[in-house]
Amino acid sequence: MTMTGKEFVAHVAATIEPLFRASEIQTQAYFRNQPDLDEAIFHFKRRMFNERMNIVEISKTLAAMPASADPTQLKLLAKQVLDEAKHYDMVKNVIEYLSGEAFSDQELEAEFAWQMDEKNVKAKGASLFEEIGGHEDELMAAVYQFVAEGRAGRVWNAMATSIADPIVSRTYAKIAKDETFHSHIGARTLERLAVTEEAQARVLAVIPQMTERMYWINCMGTEATREAAALVEGAYGHDLGEDKMSEMGKTWFEPKGELVDWVPTPRGQFEQEESAVDNFAQ
């Protein structure tokens, strides 16, 4: 029996919840295990350029929309592009605050080239947008937005609640709130489009690909916990056993000691630059 659009969105939300919870668990384990500052900065650079990728991918979608497109949808996607640009700047500011060094233009260009290299770009969630055909297919763009942005909101919040630095925590909590809003844009589109048996089947067919890729994207950047693996394996049947972990170059998480919120020792000062755009504004 075909579900209504609203019922189907609720069904997808329940389906992807184990992935979201697993991503939270592994992200919090990484930070509460007291990472080295430079290692954490490397981690944040990957996230910074993922936001840069999102600017491009959502902009392409926006530019390709027909003249008959819903004006509300145009406004929502335009807001998301601005939000992603804010996030890129916000994470850049956090990295400079923690490292004590401002990025030079040359460093940004070199870092961007490395991050976008074929062997590195797959470690970013934004790479999934193209993989599932988000550019050509509004339905796939919607499911990506609902799932990927929803998971991003949970991951940013997991960082905000496991890093005991007021600058970093406040910044990442703001990003988490925005990403959750972006997921709601995807839900709105999915509710409108996924109203036939064929459309619903197409969405459900791509979910396993997304959950597996997103699990490994999270796992490779954080920690592989047995608790998270059990959630994902039980919900989706993905192979997350010892052999697969070894193949992916991961070992099971072993805490260094008691897991407590990470308190980094920044090497710089946080300076809010005068800007035409307030990164924290709604």
Side-chain angles (χ1 to χ4, degrees), residues 123-137:
K124 299 171 186 63
S127 64
L128 254 176
F129 188 84
E130 184 173 359
E131 286 179 31
I132 66 172
H135 291 313
E136 304 82 23
D137 189 328

Side-chain angles (χ1 to χ4, degrees), residues 71-178:
T72 297
Q73 187 72 354
L74 291 173
K75 289 186 289 184
L76 289 170
L77 291 177
K79 181 185 184 306
Q80 182 174 351
V81 172
L82 175 59
D83 287 346
E84 304 293 4
K86 287 182 178 181
H87 298 169
Y88 173 74
D89 187 40
M90 292 164 88
V91 183
K92 175 176 176 287
N93 289 340
V94 164
I95 292 170
E96 291 178 339
Y97 162 65
L98 293 175
S99 69
E101 297 180 0
F103 281 105
S104 68
D105 290 346
Q106 293 77 12
E107 286 173 320
L108 284 173
E109 294 293 344
E111 186 70 31
F112 181 73
W114 186 86
Q115 294 280 351
M116 296 300 109
D117 186 270
E118 185 178 355
K119 66 179 180 295
N120 300 318
V121 75
K122 294 296 185 183
K124 299 171 186 63
S127 64
L128 254 176
F129 188 84
E130 184 173 359
E131 286 179 31
I132 66 172
H135 291 313
E136 304 82 23
D137 189 328
E138 190 180 9
L139 182 66
M140 290 297 102
V143 70
Y144 169 85
Q145 192 164 34
F146 183 43
V147 178
E149 299 287 351
R151 192 189 73 89
R154 298 279 284 270
V155 169
W156 284 108
N157 188 64
M159 289 191 285
T161 55
S162 59
I163 302 174
D165 178 280
I167 299 298
V168 181
S169 182
R170 175 175 177 248
T171 299
Y172 288 179
K174 164 60 178 169
I175 294 176
K177 184 177 179 181
D178 288 344

Side-chain angles (χ1 to χ4, degrees), residues 7 11 43 46 60 87 89 93-94 108 143-144 152 159 177 184 200 202 213 250 256 260 265:
E7 289 170 342
H11 175 71
H43 177 100
R46 181 169 64 89
K60 287 178 181 177
H87 298 169
D89 187 40
N93 289 340
V94 164
L108 284 173
V143 70
Y144 169 85
M159 289 191 285
K177 184 177 179 181
H184 293 163
Q200 292 177 4
R202 288 182 59 223
R213 280 276 282 114
K250 292 295 290 186
K256 300 171 186 175
V260 295
T265 303

Side-chain angles (χ1 to χ4, degrees), residues 193-209:
L193 296 178
V195 292
T196 66
E197 184 177 353
E198 185 269 340
Q200 292 177 4
R202 288 182 59 223
V203 171
L204 294 178
V206 82
I207 291 290
Q209 176 187 352

